[in-house]
Amino acid sequence: LIRKLAWVLVTGATGGLGIMACQIARALGAKVVALAGDDESKVGMLKELGVEEVVSYTAKDWETQVLQVTGGGVHLVYDAVGMIESGLKCCRFGGTVVIVGFVGRGGDIEKVRANRILLKGAGVVGYVRCSILPRY
């Protein structure tokens, strides 16, 4: 899913999975936009990991900021928060949103308008890896 030098947006970037997602994307050659809060120590930590841009989710226009810094949107969104609509807005045409959780929504799963997926030519993938689930 990650093309060489592609842009990746990581939501929840300062959490445990978010930090790993940033590191893996960088190791695979991607440029990373980390979505995080305004804590300067956490922003500094993300920059030390090699993240190209840190965008604050508290900013009213954060989606527009992502589009601007990437020159038109990201190729891949790693979404551990449950921001599918926003992730789709941040995608380039043909991008992919990988959903790994909904922690930012308190268990309230977002309803996604299918036209956003269609108009972006996007892929939306749910990823669950749990040893207690049966394998088929």
Side-chain angles (χ1 to χ4, degrees), residues 3 11 14 20 22 25 32-33 50 55 61 69 74 76 98 100 103 107 112 114 116 120 122:
R3 299 178 199 106
T11 69
T14 59
M20 286 191 293
C22 290
V32 176
V33 178
V55 174
D61 64 341
V69 300
V74 298
L76 181 89
V98 178
V100 298
V103 298
V112 179
R116 289 227 186 262
K120 287 284 187 157

Side-chain angles (χ1 to χ4, degrees), residues 2 5-6 16 18 23 25 39 41-42 52-53 62 64 67 69-70 80 82 89 96 104 106 117 119 127 130 133 136:
I2 299 177
L5 298 179
Q23 292 174 315
D39 183 325
S41 65
K42 292 181 179 181
E52 278 72 22
E53 296 288 337
W62 72 264
T64 302
L67 294 173
V69 300
T70 59
K89 288 179 187 176
T96 302
I117 299 167
L119 294 174
Y127 181 79
C130 182
L133 295 176
Y136 298 98

